[in-house]
Amino acid sequence: MKQFPPSAVVSLVLLGATPALAVEGGLETYLLGSRDSMAGILPPTGTYINNDFVHFSGSAPSLSMGGAVVANPDLTVTLYKLNATQVFDGSIGGARLGFNINIPYVWSDMDLEGEVISGLSGNLSDSQVSFSDITVSPILGWNQGNLHSTLALQFFLPTGEYSTATVDVDDRKIDVLSTGKNRLAFDPTYSVTWFDPARGLELSGAMGVTFSAKNDATDYQTAPEAHFEGTVMQHFKNKMAVGLTGYAYRQLDDDSGSGAEGTKDALNAKSLQAEVYGIGPIWTWSTTVGKVPMNLKAKYIVESGARRRFESNKAWVTVGFAF
């Protein structure tokens, strides 16, 4: 079994798992689409449990990995995320206080057609099932009339499974998927919601930047990642709402370190700066189960304009409860 050094650029990582394009692993640290309807509202004091089910799949163009060709990688990822928020009584400096924790569990599969290294070619596959990186976030919330806002200070902890890529030529096996990023990251995100209860019109937006530590295993420094999410919703008296949600993502600089330089050499690329855009419909409904408030949400986002990263279609269902 051959273990590749960082310069070979064959390691794939995941908040999902993707081919090594840019932002080390081809997918952002912050899961795009996480904020949509009512993003700027910190709810009343209490405990809130969301169960997020996310599924996305797609393909990437032919890639050069360690000087060899990997043609048409197809990736499928299913993610369950336990999302728990505690909102506390009282305030600090005029801001209400909450705390959130996200615990994701990931199922990922990838199929490859082409040559991975000299002597290993044809149809190959890899899969990974394990926990991904946990996120913890203190949250500050404000409101003034119909205008609401929050500031979340998100910390991505390197708790997910991670290993550098290996290839077993004799047995025709590859191990290139990981569910963790193997590095700390920090993401301050500011969200705003304007909601008019009389008309049922909602406008929500969120803006954040992810700052990542270096991945010491690959000597790869991911550049800051800016993300914007926007949502327009019309709420009805039957407690349903429909609208559009979307996002834009772009790195603010180029990745660095010997791992990034090795990636550039392998891909014959001048830059690894990544970007992508997504948009799609969203539906929500509020009801009760017994005496427990329950919220349902479903959305489908189609990505486009991806550069130096994976591009996918994303289905997302959330079942939430308030206590």
Side-chain angles (χ1 to χ4, degrees):
M1 181 174 293
K2 181 176 180 179
Q3 182 166 342
F4 285 81
S7 60
V9 200
V10 196
S11 181
L12 287 81
V13 293
L14 166 101
L15 174 2
T18 55
L21 302 174
V23 291
E24 195 181 20
L27 196 71
E28 69 284 344
T29 305
Y30 172 87
L31 182 59
L32 293 171
S34 294
R35 286 175 171 79
D36 45 53
S37 181
M38 302 299 181
I41 295 181
L42 186 64
T45 301
T47 302
Y48 301 84
I49 304 295
N50 281 345
N51 299 277
D52 292 305
F53 303 89
V54 187
H55 179 84
F56 56 93
S57 61
S59 61
S62 298
L63 305 172
S64 175
M65 292 177 139
V69 174
V70 175
N72 302 318
D74 292 318
L75 181 76
T76 300
V77 174
T78 301
L79 167 69
Y80 168 72
K81 184 159 60 87
L82 176 62
N83 184 340
T85 301
Q86 179 66 46
V87 181
F88 302 99
D89 195 11
S91 62
I92 299 176
R96 298 172 56 236
L97 180 63
F99 183 82
N100 173 268
I101 182 169
N102 272 269
I103 304 175
Y105 194 78
V106 176
W107 295 258
S108 58
D109 294 281
M110 185 179 68
D111 294 318
L112 302 174
E113 268 182 44
E115 185 179 354
V116 178
I117 62 172
S118 178
L120 182 59
S121 61
N123 296 326
L124 303 166
S125 63
D126 188 20
S127 63
Q128 183 69 46
V129 179
S130 64
F131 284 100
S132 186
D133 294 339
I134 293 174
T135 306
V136 295
S137 311
I139 308 169
L140 300 174
W142 301 266
N143 69 279
Q144 185 175 7
N146 291 340
L147 185 64
H148 311 262
S149 60
T150 61
L151 175 62
L153 306 175
Q154 301 166 105
F155 294 88
F156 296 86
L157 309 179
T159 56
E161 187 277 336
Y162 179 85
S163 61
T164 55
T166 59
V167 175
D168 189 329
V169 179
D170 295 333
D171 292 333
R172 297 184 52 79
K173 294 181 180 179
I174 59 173
D175 185 3
V176 291
L177 293 177
S178 291
T179 55
K181 291 285 191 180
N182 197 45
R183 52 171 165 76
L184 286 166
F186 172 63
D187 186 317
T189 297
Y190 183 69
S191 305
V192 177
T193 291
W194 182 85
F195 177 57
D196 184 351
R199 292 190 291 171
L201 179 62
E202 175 203 345
L203 303 174
S204 290
M207 179 70 188
V209 180
T210 309
F211 302 92
S212 299
K214 183 176 67 174
N215 182 352
D216 291 329
T218 56
D219 192 32
Y220 196 111
Q221 176 65 65
T222 295
E225 307 163 76
H227 52 88
F228 171 78
E229 294 154 298
T231 302
V232 179
M233 298 286 288
Q234 179 61 52
H235 295 257
F236 302 102
K237 293 182 180 180
N238 61 1
K239 296 185 179 181
M240 286 190 184
V242 295
L244 280 177
T245 187
Y247 50 73
Y249 164 90
R250 182 176 173 83
Q251 283 188 283
L252 301 179
D253 203 350
D254 203 0
D255 299 337
S256 59
S258 63
E261 293 303 317
T263 303
K264 290 180 185 178
D265 292 341
L267 301 178
N268 194 26
K270 294 182 179 180
S271 173
L272 299 176
Q273 195 171 9
E275 65 180 285
V276 75
Y277 306 89
I279 191 168
I282 181 173
W283 168 89
T284 66
W285 179 45
S286 298
T287 185
T288 57
V289 177
K291 296 182 179 180
V292 178
M294 181 178 73
N295 297 291
L296 299 177
K297 178 168 59 181
K299 54 190 174 184
Y300 187 81
I301 299 174
V302 177
E303 291 186 342
S304 62
R307 298 179 63 200
R308 308 181 186 98
R309 78 181 295 283
F310 199 77
E311 184 175 289
S312 63
N313 296 334
K314 186 180 296 179
W316 196 315
V317 175
T318 301
V319 182
F321 300 93
F323 300 95

